[in-house]
Amino acid sequence: MSTPGVQLNSTSAEPLYRQLEAVLKNEINSGSRPPGSRLPTENELVQLYHVSRVTVRKALDELSQQGYLERRSGKGTFVAEKRLQRGLSGVIRFSEVCRRMGCEPGGRTVRLSLEIASKKDAEQLQLPENSQIVILERVRSADGEPVVIETSKFPEDFSFLLGEDLNDISLYELLQRKRCIVFTKSTKILDLVYATPQEAFFLNVAKGHPLIRIESVVEDASGHCRTLSKQLCNGDKFKLMV
């Protein structure tokens, strides 16, 4: 918790509510106010930081809008659980999303195989019917907590992946490093689904828990190299930005 009697600088050009916002944000980011912990009441914050109630409310409003706090009717204000923020345009690496949020990315391979493509997959990958494709399924984690089930499908040219250790690495970084392949374009479809028993097991949630499904067709700049991606994201852990 914060030190009693913290003094904000009333002579600074920066508004007091911004100073208070920065102090509280630092306490949250440093872990001194952990996710799920209850903040002092508005009156207690007024006394603690020697500011007006208007200043306190404005700072709390800003932090709530940014996703740091959540108000619960009749219960108070609480530090929100950390959510990974990712945009929907372009190609965003999971590892990059985690690092931006100060989390350690991880991944566990649960399936890696060479199989006959379904008719739909062959069409999307622009392959002849009955072509073989590489299917990679991983459970992605942030700070050790599973948050995404990620399935990637590649043409048979990518069968070299079958000999790679794909745990705890960025797949796209590996492809860029070993094959100079850079995916730059992505077409996405989003919808809401509910966790099957197996998906619930992988993500450590209850069966039927809401998941954000993101299906993507990903291409390099020339459009010649394609992969399919499906991500099942724990809706409690992700914030999507349009």
Side-chain angles (χ1 to χ4, degrees), residues 1-122:
M1 300 296 291
S2 57
T3 304
V6 170
Q7 291 280 356
L8 302 182
N9 186 359
S10 60
T11 63
S12 170
E14 186 176 30
L16 285 172
Y17 82 91
R18 287 293 188 194
Q19 294 181 48
L20 179 55
E21 176 190 334
V23 169
L24 292 173
K25 188 182 295 185
N26 181 64
E27 292 175 351
I28 292 169
N29 289 334
S30 69
S32 60
R33 293 191 186 276
S37 63
R38 185 179 182 278
L39 256 65
T41 65
E42 289 184 2
N43 284 337
E44 289 170 337
L45 289 171
V46 165
Q47 296 175 20
L48 181 62
Y49 296 103
H50 310 291
V51 291
S52 70
R53 197 162 186 171
V54 171
T55 295
V56 168
R57 285 182 177 173
K58 202 163 184 179
L60 296 183
D61 285 343
E62 289 290 328
L63 290 169
S64 296
Q65 290 176 20
Q66 295 172 38
Y68 283 90
L69 301 176
E70 58 181 28
R71 266 94 179 260
R72 301 177 190 171
S73 181
K75 295 183 179 180
T77 302
F78 294 79
V79 177
E81 295 290 335
K82 185 182 286 188
R83 286 188 170 192
L84 298 171
Q85 299 182 14
R86 62 158 291 173
L88 295 178
S89 60
V91 179
I92 307 294
R93 300 169 180 170
F94 177 83
S95 299
E96 182 181 349
V97 170
C98 285
R99 291 172 187 138
R100 285 180 184 175
M101 298 296 295
C103 299
E104 181 64 30
R108 177 171 63 89
T109 301
V110 294
R111 179 185 177 193
L112 180 58
S113 58
L114 186 65
E115 302 179 17
I116 300 296
S118 68
K119 184 176 180 180
K120 180 182 176 181
D121 288 343

